[in-house]
Amino acid sequence: MKKLSYAVLLGLWLSVLTGFTSTALWLGLSVVGAGLALGGFSLSRDALPVINEGVAYLVVFLIGVALMLAALATLLPGMPGSWLATTATGWDILAGRSARLEQAIEAGDPRLARRLAARGLGTDQPIDKFGRPLLFDAADAEMVTALLGAGLAPDASDGDGRTLAMLSHDENIVAALLRGGADPNARDAQGRTALHLAPKKGLGYAELLLAAGADPFATDDNGIAVVDEFPAIGPLRELLERNAGGRVLPLPREISALDRGRTDWLLPTDTRLGSSGLRLIPEDIRYGDTATLEIILNNESPRDRLLEVRAVLASEAYFVAASHDGRIRNPGLFRLSQDIRWPLLSLPAGRGGKLRLEVVARNDVEVGEFSIDVRYRSLAEIDSLTGVRSGASPEEDVLTLRQSLHDAVEYDDSLDWLGWAIPLGVVVALYLGFLAVVRVKKHDVVAVVGVVSQACAIGMSFMLFVFLAGLAEPWVSFQETRCQILDRRIELKETTTTSGGTQRTRTTRTLVYAVPVAAVRYSVDGQAVVTTGFGTDAVTRSVNEFKHLPLGASVPCWVDPDDPKRFALRRNLNPAAVFGILLQLGLILVFALVSRAIRRKSIA
């Protein structure tokens, strides 16, 4: 009977986990999980009828339950994404599932891809190892159809707002996207639609978009209409006219390179030209402060220029906002630096322009340097007299700003009502020390061991109480509000430990670990607060969960009313903290039992 039960459980485990892990892990988890489930059930079933006859039977029953829970944990790789997304550990499993999906797409296996995506990835826009939407990796229409059928978003976009329908030259892929619900009028960061790009891709591509409802009268953010991109005569023009709904299409305008850039950032023409430069307001930057960077770019050359401008923020500077649609270009990639890109900017000869970038200095306890590099290059230069256009400049011009940070604020993580904790701990320690000294003078070694065990039990109980009090702080004293995610970054930290008995045998180990950091905006008592952080020390800081926080989204968070710049985006426990709590409880129990046994022996 047991063999049959094990075979049934093994078959269940194999079916649930198939495809979600490597073959070796799939078989290993199934064998171990089925064994744990059967063993745990057997122990619990045998101990349950006699559980009231002694502590030993209760312990056996609890061990059986623990084994069954451990068995369920082996099924996690195959659990629905909606379940896994509720915990940080689940997000790590979902990251592995996304990696498996990427492998399935590269291998051209739509069946496995559909299975992985249908079980859930925690988001409908998963990203690949390069930070692009996984949907972009699909090589054919069959794979696209499989992924869309499993719930992936057809309008997933990259850092420039471009969708796969805009980027793909494969008409079958575009047709599959449109059948799957892709918006034919979706716009990129420049306001362009897929129909703006159609003339470079052919008549069939334009026919698909127009049949799906693409707007032939759409214009981008610079006023360039779809008709301006199409030829004045020929099959493409005729196709537009047939889909104009009876309206008259204007003739295409002649579009120059400067027309493709924004002009609303230009300064008045009477502005005195000087060298390009940066100005930080205020100049004296402290940790946790917000600052505005004014970027002045002047064109002293005789040629009109079409510029690509970006700002590179170092690890201490986090994005808050930017003028003229400046935005984070690499939201799916996590680096120590952050790229802010502006749309293409037109800068005529003899003119200047001004951009604005708002940042917040990273909260920290150490003094560091605040740095921003503004890089710009000409994508095209046009002679204002002859109209002759030259190519892009091969080199970037770089404006660099360096500013020392100071006056870091070191937060006090303790609760106010724990102010009595340290004096009380000292009193208890002195009392137990006095008892130990008395026992030593009486040469009662066993009694000394009992006192020391009692001291350890009380001391660890006290430590656990203080730890749990700090752990409960976000639940007890923080106020719930909503935070807008302005920026997110992975900050690398390192710890160095030294071990060994002598100088020659001493070893040093350096551990580098990743800490999610977000720049957020929220309101406290009607006042707007912009700051950086993630959560309290005891909460889970899952990188994989963190990378799916949507930029610009409003999410629940919790704020310390006594220090409005302290907040927590997460209040779920860190698995290491849970393990530490259980370990401390076990040690407290051991010391308490030793102390009790010695005390009973002394009385006897």
Side-chain angles (χ1 to χ4, degrees):
M1 186 65 181
K2 281 190 175 181
K3 291 182 178 178
L4 178 61
S5 300
Y6 183 75
V8 171
L9 286 171
L10 180 59
L12 174 64
W13 255 254
L14 289 171
S15 63
V16 172
L17 294 175
T18 181
F20 293 99
T21 59
S22 64
T23 302
L25 191 58
W26 169 53
L27 294 174
L29 287 175
S30 299
V31 171
V32 172
L36 288 172
L38 183 61
F41 177 75
S42 298
L43 285 176
S44 300
R45 182 194 59 192
D46 295 341
L48 187 59
V50 291
I51 198 171
N52 295 324
E53 296 184 10
V55 177
Y57 296 107
L58 174 61
V59 172
V60 171
F61 175 78
L62 293 176
I63 290 174
V65 172
L67 290 177
M68 286 190 287
L69 292 175
L72 291 177
T74 63
L75 288 175
L76 286 177
M79 290 293 100
S82 56
W83 296 6
L84 295 174
T86 59
T87 66
T89 303
W91 274 103
D92 294 334
I93 295 172
L94 291 175
R97 188 176 295 175
S98 293
R100 288 280 294 166
L101 177 58
E102 187 172 355
Q103 294 170 4
I105 293 173
E106 291 174 353
D109 188 347
R111 183 178 178 182
L112 177 57
R114 185 185 296 109
R115 178 179 174 84
L116 290 164
R119 195 60 62 91
L121 299 155
T123 174
D124 61 356
Q125 298 190 35
I127 58 177
D128 62 16
K129 56 181 172 287
F130 302 109
R132 304 187 315 158
L134 266 176
L135 185 65
F136 287 18
D137 296 336
D140 53 47
E142 183 183 7
M143 183 63 73
V144 169
T145 301
L147 295 174
L148 296 184
L152 266 64
D155 288 320
S157 59
D158 62 12
D160 291 320
R162 299 172 299 183
T163 65
L164 183 56
M166 296 177 187
L167 295 172
S168 178
H169 289 260
D170 188 325
E171 293 179 13
N172 293 323
I173 288 180
V174 175
L177 288 166
L178 294 171
R179 286 196 303 271
D183 182 5
N185 292 305
R187 295 178 179 271
D188 65 10
Q190 304 278 353
R192 295 172 299 187
T193 67
L195 200 55
H196 277 88
L197 310 172
K200 297 179 181 179
K201 300 184 181 182
L203 186 63
Y205 181 84
E207 286 177 335
L208 287 171
L209 293 171
L210 289 166
D215 182 7
F217 294 93
T219 59
D220 66 14
D221 292 344
N222 298 318
I224 299 176
V226 166
V227 70
D228 296 329
E229 303 285 7
F230 278 62
I233 57 174
L236 282 170
R237 174 73 183 192
E238 293 170 3
L239 177 65
L240 269 189
E241 290 175 344
R242 287 198 303 270
N243 288 273
R247 297 168 61 185
V248 178
L249 284 173
L251 292 174
R253 297 181 298 130
E254 185 176 346
I255 303 298
S256 70
L258 277 188
D259 291 328
R260 300 190 180 279
R262 297 182 64 129
T263 58
D264 56 354
W265 73 291
L266 296 175
L267 295 169
T269 54
D270 59 355
T271 299
R272 171 182 283 182
L273 283 178
S275 59
S276 300
L278 309 177
R279 186 165 72 106
L280 195 63
I281 306 170
E283 295 180 359
D284 187 20
I285 302 299
R286 303 168 187 268
Y287 279 97
D289 284 354
T290 56
T292 299
L293 181 73
E294 288 188 345
I295 306 166
I296 306 296
L297 301 179
N298 289 312
N299 184 6
E300 300 177 79
S301 74
R303 294 177 178 269
D304 298 335
R305 305 174 72 186
L306 182 66
L307 296 182
E308 180 184 60
V309 181
R310 67 188 179 109
V312 180
L313 308 184
S315 59
E316 298 293 336
Y318 279 70
F319 177 80
V320 173
S323 64
H324 302 93
D325 291 342
R327 67 193 71 187
I328 297 173
R329 176 72 175 272
N330 56 329
L333 299 177
F334 301 101
R335 306 167 178 167
L336 291 177
S337 62
Q338 186 70 282
D339 279 3
I340 313 301
R341 301 285 181 102
W342 279 268
L344 297 181
L345 303 173
S346 296
L347 186 56
R351 294 289 301 274
K354 182 168 73 172
L355 301 171
R356 189 182 72 255
L357 174 66
E358 294 178 41
V359 294
V360 58
R362 168 83 172 99
N363 289 332
D364 212 325
V365 295
E366 297 178 359
V367 175
E369 190 176 60
F370 178 91
S371 65
I372 301 174
D373 290 347
V374 175
R375 307 179 180 214
Y376 60 100
R377 66 189 181 103
S378 297
L379 295 182
E381 293 189 351
I382 307 95
D383 191 299
S384 56
L385 296 177
T386 64
V388 176
R389 174 178 172 175
S390 61
S393 171
E395 296 182 358
E396 290 183 322
D397 294 322
V398 182
L399 301 175
T400 299
L401 181 139
R402 296 280 187 273
Q403 182 73 40
S404 294
L405 289 165
H406 57 280
D407 290 346
V409 177
E410 190 162 358
Y411 294 126
D412 179 11
D413 289 331
S414 62
L415 291 174
D416 293 339
W417 53 271
L418 285 177
W420 48 265
I422 294 177
L424 179 61
V426 171
V427 171
V428 172
L430 290 174
Y431 171 70
L432 292 172
F434 171 74
L435 291 180
V437 170
V438 171
R439 298 296 191 276
V440 169
K441 287 185 175 182
K442 292 183 178 181
H443 304 287
D444 191 349
V445 177
V446 175
V448 170
V449 174
V451 172
V452 171
S453 298
Q454 184 181 6
C456 291
I458 294 175
M460 296 201 71
S461 299
F462 178 73
M463 289 169 55
L464 181 61
F465 172 74
V466 174
F467 175 73
L468 290 176
L471 197 64
E473 187 179 13
W475 281 269
V476 174
S477 62
F478 281 29
Q479 296 177 352
E480 184 172 358
T481 184
R482 297 194 69 83
C483 293
Q484 182 187 13
I485 308 297
L486 305 173
D487 192 0
R488 59 176 190 235
R489 206 90 56 79
I490 300 300
E491 184 174 284
L492 298 180
K493 289 186 175 291
E494 64 178 36
T495 56
T496 302
T497 56
T498 303
S499 61
T502 65
Q503 188 142 4
R504 289 187 177 181
T505 61
R506 187 167 296 171
T507 58
T508 300
R509 181 186 175 203
T510 300
L511 175 66
V512 178
Y513 58 98
V515 178
V517 179
V520 299
R521 178 189 286 117
Y522 51 84
S523 178
V524 177
D525 297 330
Q527 298 294 320
V529 177
V530 176
T531 188
T532 60
F534 184 70
T536 57
D537 290 338
V539 303
T540 297
R541 303 177 184 223
S542 170
V543 170
N544 294 307
E545 176 188 20
F546 180 74
K547 71 182 182 182
H548 289 293
L549 277 177
L551 288 171
S554 177
V555 299
C557 65
W558 295 266
V559 180
D560 184 354
D562 297 325
D563 186 351
K565 289 199 172 184
R566 285 189 69 212
F567 73 99
L569 281 174
R570 289 292 180 271
R571 297 195 298 181
N572 48 333
L573 287 181
N574 190 323
V578 175
F579 176 77
I581 292 171
L582 295 177
L583 180 62
Q584 282 186 289
L585 285 172
L587 291 174
I588 290 169
L589 180 61
V590 169
F591 287 127
L593 290 175
V594 170
S595 175
R596 182 184 180 190
I598 291 176
R599 188 167 62 252
R600 282 187 172 183
K601 184 177 179 181
S602 300
I603 293 174

